[in-house]
Amino acid sequence: CHPRVATRVPMGPLSLLLALSLLSPRGSAGASCPPRCVCASNLLSCSQANLSTVPAPLPRFTAVLDLSHNNVTRLRADWAPARLPHLHALLLSHNGLAFVSTEAFTHVPRLRHLDLSSNRLRTLDENLFSDLGELEVLLLYNNEITTVDRTAFENLGRLRKLYLGQNRIARFPLELLREGTRLPQLALLDLSANRLRAVPAGELQALPAWLRDRLYLHNNPLACDCLLFQLLDRGHRRHLSAVVDFQDELRCVLPGAPASVKILALAGQQPLNCSKAQEAVLEAHLGDSVTLGCDSRWQGVRSRHWVTPGGERVLGDTGNGSVVLLANGSLQLRALRPEDAGTYACWVAGPLLNETLYVELLVHNFTLHGPHDTLNTAYTTLVGCILSVVLVLIYLYLTPCRCCCCRGTEKPPAPRDDSINSSVLSTTPNHATGAGEPCGSHIASGAGTGQNGRFKGGGTPPLPARPGPKVQRKVSDPDSVSSVFSDTPIVV
């Protein structure tokens, strides 16, 4: 409060005395205000007082304590011997602070704002801030931090802003952000100007857009790759502040390159030749159920609605319940059909500006098991063709009698004067065959015109021998001979 402000308001002698007492070194509590501090109601300002330790005793009603720009190099567990139930802001920046006890915050459980920036802290030990269950803002920028224990931020369920820029951090446990279980309300994470060489781009892309909007990674010696480019390219097209505001400082190092390059300039450039990724593309199959997320960069969204590819506005259940708007703003599609494919738009009414998100849905024209069934059918067809070819080759080349070999060794037709009984009706061939003939024993005589003018296509195969005693057969007359070549077989 400036003294001139008090002179503008008319007041009586008692009011003036009270106002001056609030501005006096002793403050409103008289002797309870520490030396070299200025006390105003529940505010204690001990900044630039050349202090090497925290002054004592501290008033129990203290709500804001400013100890910045001093020489407090160590914050022990006994800096606040008594409980300070009303303290919600503690400022310790610019002190050369190199050590903070893990029990330093036991007596200040209501702390919501903690400023430890511009000091000489090197490590964030295990469970360092675990007693600060109501902490919302934690400033640790401009220190010498190299190591961050993954349990250092345990129990910080209300932390909204975490500033770790301008340190020496080579690896930060980004798994703390996964699924929002460790830091569920975190909306800002500043990791700029550190020594990060790689970040899990795939996991960061899965984070909500409102968190990626305040995830600062600029001025780090990141290694160039296409996943990192696509992560930042999506953020640039979504107008995320962490990308748009610092696009010139978002740089990476190519292998063998002497200097860093802008990450957003890697599109289509050698040697990586990165391609631009679409914002949201979802693939599904006929009959599936899918959920289209409305990943807005705004928190505290007032309302959402969807517009289908056909121009239909979705506010709740439509039709037979195949399209449903969920409570979190996502759109659920059930029993997909081919006509459900297309680009869906999500209209978001944010606290500051409106936003429109687009999701492209691709519906494959087969069921989930369709590709496997198609593959099995093709495989079966191929195997069937191969077996058919093999059977044809076996028939042509591996049969017991190959007719192509028999044509050259066929015996000429029997002379006319040969006995008809022996040449046609006898079970034994009329002519002896050579020792090397493979099929002369069952090849009939050549085709020609038989008796009674009938055509004999390939001869009649010999009848098999019947068991039992031989029966002497008589020579047949010409009428009997004609019956041999008839359509009705001879029964002996």
Side-chain angles (χ1 to χ4, degrees), residues 194-381:
N194 275 282
R195 298 180 180 179
L196 299 175
R197 296 186 179 275
V199 293
E203 295 184 13
L204 295 182
Q205 180 59 38
L207 295 176
W210 52 263
L211 179 53
R212 284 183 281 125
D213 188 41
R214 295 292 188 272
L215 177 59
Y216 298 97
L217 297 171
H218 56 278
N219 289 332
N220 275 286
L222 297 169
C224 296
D225 60 56
C226 289
L227 289 178
L228 178 63
F229 163 75
Q230 292 174 354
L231 170 69
L232 299 179
D233 183 57
R234 289 190 184 99
H236 187 265
R237 284 187 290 168
R238 291 287 303 276
H239 304 287
L240 301 185
S241 300
V243 179
V244 175
D245 296 344
F246 298 95
Q247 53 185 316
D248 293 335
E249 288 81 13
L250 284 167
R251 308 179 71 87
C252 64
V253 180
L254 288 168
S260 61
V261 298
K262 293 183 180 180
I263 298 178
L264 294 178
L266 293 176
Q269 301 295 325
Q270 296 297 333
L272 297 181
N273 195 23
C274 299
S275 60
K276 292 182 176 292
Q278 298 183 5
E279 171 58 27
V281 178
L282 186 62
E283 298 186 24
H285 304 84
L286 290 179
D288 287 353
S289 295
V290 298
T291 301
L292 310 182
C294 189
D295 189 20
S296 174
R297 60 192 174 104
W298 301 117
Q299 282 185 293
V301 174
R302 297 193 303 269
S303 63
R304 290 184 178 94
H305 72 270
W306 286 82
V307 178
T308 66
E312 180 183 2
R313 184 172 177 175
V314 181
L315 296 175
D317 292 358
T318 61
N320 57 358
S322 61
V323 182
V324 181
L325 181 62
L326 303 180
N328 61 359
S330 301
L331 186 69
Q332 187 179 68
L333 305 176
R334 303 169 182 170
L336 288 178
R337 303 164 298 174
E339 54 267 26
D340 291 331
T343 302
Y344 293 77
C346 178
W347 298 75
V348 180
L352 301 177
L353 297 173
N354 295 337
E355 185 181 16
T356 304
L357 306 177
Y358 299 95
V359 180
E360 183 179 357
L361 177 62
L362 305 178
V363 180
H364 297 293
N365 197 18
F366 45 79
T367 61
L368 180 60
H369 301 288
H372 305 286
D373 295 340
T374 304
L375 178 62
N376 291 338
T377 303
Y379 178 76
T380 304
T381 304

Side-chain angles (χ1 to χ4, degrees), residues 33-231:
C33 186
R36 290 183 288 182
C37 295
V38 177
C39 301
S41 183
N42 58 357
L43 309 180
L44 274 71
S45 176
C46 305
S47 179
Q48 299 181 357
N50 197 24
L51 299 174
S52 57
T53 59
V54 178
L58 292 173
R60 180 179 174 81
F61 53 79
T62 304
V64 177
L65 177 59
D66 184 2
L67 294 170
S68 61
H69 296 276
N70 282 288
N71 298 315
V72 182
T73 59
R74 301 176 69 85
L75 191 66
R76 301 180 182 274
D78 57 353
W79 73 272
R83 186 179 180 87
L84 300 175
H86 304 287
L87 187 66
H88 62 78
L90 176 61
L91 312 179
L92 281 165
S93 62
H94 297 278
N95 268 279
L97 194 63
F99 171 78
V100 177
S101 171
T102 56
E103 300 178 356
F105 307 107
T106 303
H107 292 159
V108 288
R110 299 293 180 87
L111 206 62
R112 298 197 303 269
H113 183 101
L114 178 59
D115 185 359
L116 298 174
S117 63
S118 300
N119 283 294
R120 295 180 181 177
L121 297 176
R122 294 179 179 272
T123 61
L124 299 181
D125 296 328
E126 181 180 359
N127 297 317
L128 181 59
F129 306 106
S130 60
D131 292 325
L132 302 176
E134 298 185 10
L135 191 66
E136 297 178 2
V137 179
L138 178 56
L139 289 81
L140 291 164
Y141 63 87
N142 193 26
N143 274 278
E144 302 174 1
I145 300 173
T146 58
T147 305
V148 179
D149 191 275
R150 64 180 60 194
T151 64
F153 309 105
E154 199 75 24
N155 300 328
L156 298 185
R158 297 188 181 182
L159 188 65
R160 296 187 298 106
K161 298 179 181 180
L162 177 57
Y163 296 87
L164 283 165
Q166 300 183 32
N167 278 285
R168 303 174 184 178
I169 301 173
R171 184 192 178 278
F172 180 81
L174 289 171
E175 57 268 19
L176 298 178
L177 309 179
R178 187 185 305 132
E179 301 176 358
T181 55
R182 297 289 185 88
L183 303 172
Q185 297 189 22
L186 189 66
L188 186 151
L189 176 58
D190 180 14
L191 292 172
S192 62
N194 275 282
R195 298 180 180 179
L196 299 175
R197 296 186 179 275
V199 293
E203 295 184 13
L204 295 182
Q205 180 59 38
L207 295 176
W210 52 263
L211 179 53
R212 284 183 281 125
D213 188 41
R214 295 292 188 272
L215 177 59
Y216 298 97
L217 297 171
H218 56 278
N219 289 332
N220 275 286
L222 297 169
C224 296
D225 60 56
C226 289
L227 289 178
L228 178 63
F229 163 75
Q230 292 174 354
L231 170 69

